[in-house]
Amino acid sequence: MKKIIYTFILLLVGVGTLNAQSAKQILDKVYTKYTNANSYYIKFDFNHTVNGKSTTRSGEVYSMKQKFNLNVGDISQIFTGKELITISKDDKEVTISDASNTDDFLTPTKILNTYRSGYNYTLSDKIKVGNQTIQHIKLTPTASSTMKYCILGVNTSNNQIYDYKEIGKNGETTSIIVKDYLENLLIHKSYFNFDQKKYKSQGYIITQL
């Protein structure tokens, strides 16, 4: 759980080209929606499965442009725009790292950035969830990766992310299902600040990477 984040070979070339264009059109719309929002809140269910053992947690994330405050189980992460702070309440540990050197978090804009380079993408299955139509898109790495592929589900009526699933080559899976989404909220800037003195006074071990 510390690594919270812990995220077709088509038969006909002509069909594959049309399919990829359609997938890109959907991804472009979703990317524009999330990057244009001044802020957003997402409540979600998170599942991590490894060696047949599953762990499920509820989580939430507040985001303002490139900053975010993420909570899943006993793990919290704050991205200040420059640093990624990972807080483990159970272990009473805090790790501070340069966010440009870590892949240890998943946010909508990060997930959506994956399709812009280094991945092939194609339309997968389409399902109905209540009155929502969810179009799944499969993204497969073009370079060496521990990830086999990932699946992104998009509500085509409002261009919102519905779910995300990442499948590792070792069989490990990580999945997220969005339960609630609100955008353009007034979020206090303190949500994206880290008070190191507060955690030191509580006996947390703080490591700067």
Side-chain angles (χ1 to χ4, degrees):
M1 287 296 296
K2 280 188 180 180
K3 206 165 183 175
I4 215 166
I5 307 207
Y6 309 130
T7 8
F8 289 15
I9 299 176
L10 297 176
L11 297 177
L12 300 174
V13 174
V15 174
T17 302
L18 176 62
N19 191 280
Q21 288 175 346
S22 299
K24 184 178 186 301
Q25 288 171 357
I26 294 172
L27 291 168
D28 283 344
K29 289 178 181 178
V30 181
Y31 180 80
T32 298
K33 176 182 180 65
Y34 282 89
T35 54
N36 284 349
N38 291 322
S39 62
Y40 57 77
Y41 165 80
I42 297 175
K43 183 178 181 180
F44 59 89
D45 287 339
F46 171 86
N47 179 271
H48 180 239
T49 301
V50 58
N51 296 326
K53 186 176 180 179
S54 293
T55 302
T56 301
R57 296 282 188 274
S58 293
E60 60 181 9
V61 58
Y62 290 87
S63 179
M64 183 181 293
K65 293 302 182 182
Q66 295 304 312
K67 299 179 180 181
F68 68 80
N69 184 314
L70 174 69
N71 296 279
V72 180
D74 74 307
I75 301 295
S76 297
Q77 288 190 316
I78 300 171
F79 180 46
T80 66
K82 294 182 179 180
E83 293 181 320
L84 178 68
I85 297 98
T86 301
I87 304 163
S88 172
K89 299 180 183 69
D90 282 355
D91 298 328
K92 300 201 77 172
E93 291 180 354
V94 175
T95 303
I96 304 172
S97 57
D98 181 345
S100 64
N101 296 325
T102 182
D103 289 322
D104 200 21
F105 58 95
L106 290 175
T107 63
T109 48
K110 180 177 180 180
I111 290 171
L112 291 166
N113 264 321
T114 60
Y115 84 95
R116 301 174 79 84
S117 63
Y119 286 79
N120 291 324
Y121 40 86
T122 180
L123 296 179
S124 185
D125 63 316
K126 183 183 290 186
I127 64 172
K128 293 286 288 186
V129 179
N131 59 357
Q132 302 178 87
T133 298
I134 309 300
Q135 175 66 64
H136 285 108
I137 298 171
K138 182 177 182 179
L139 297 96
T140 307
T142 56
S144 177
S145 173
T146 58
M147 182 177 75
K148 188 175 181 180
Y149 63 88
C150 63
I151 299 287
L152 180 69
V154 176
N155 183 337
T156 55
S157 67
N158 56 18
N159 300 316
Q160 288 181 15
I161 295 174
Y162 173 75
D163 62 356
Y164 174 83
K165 186 172 185 179
E166 189 172 294
I167 294 87
K169 290 180 178 177
N170 62 355
E172 184 175 336
T173 64
T174 301
S175 64
I176 294 170
I177 298 178
V178 174
K179 309 303 288 187
D180 193 18
Y181 172 81
L182 300 169
E183 65 180 28
N184 296 323
L185 306 174
L186 292 176
I187 304 175
H188 197 276
K189 62 181 181 181
S190 62
Y191 270 62
F192 312 109
N193 295 332
F194 173 65
D195 186 348
Q196 188 167 149
K197 290 182 179 178
K198 169 188 169 183
Y199 285 91
K200 276 188 175 180
S201 69
Q202 295 176 4
Y204 277 72
I205 297 172
I206 298 177
T207 304
Q208 178 84 50
L209 299 181

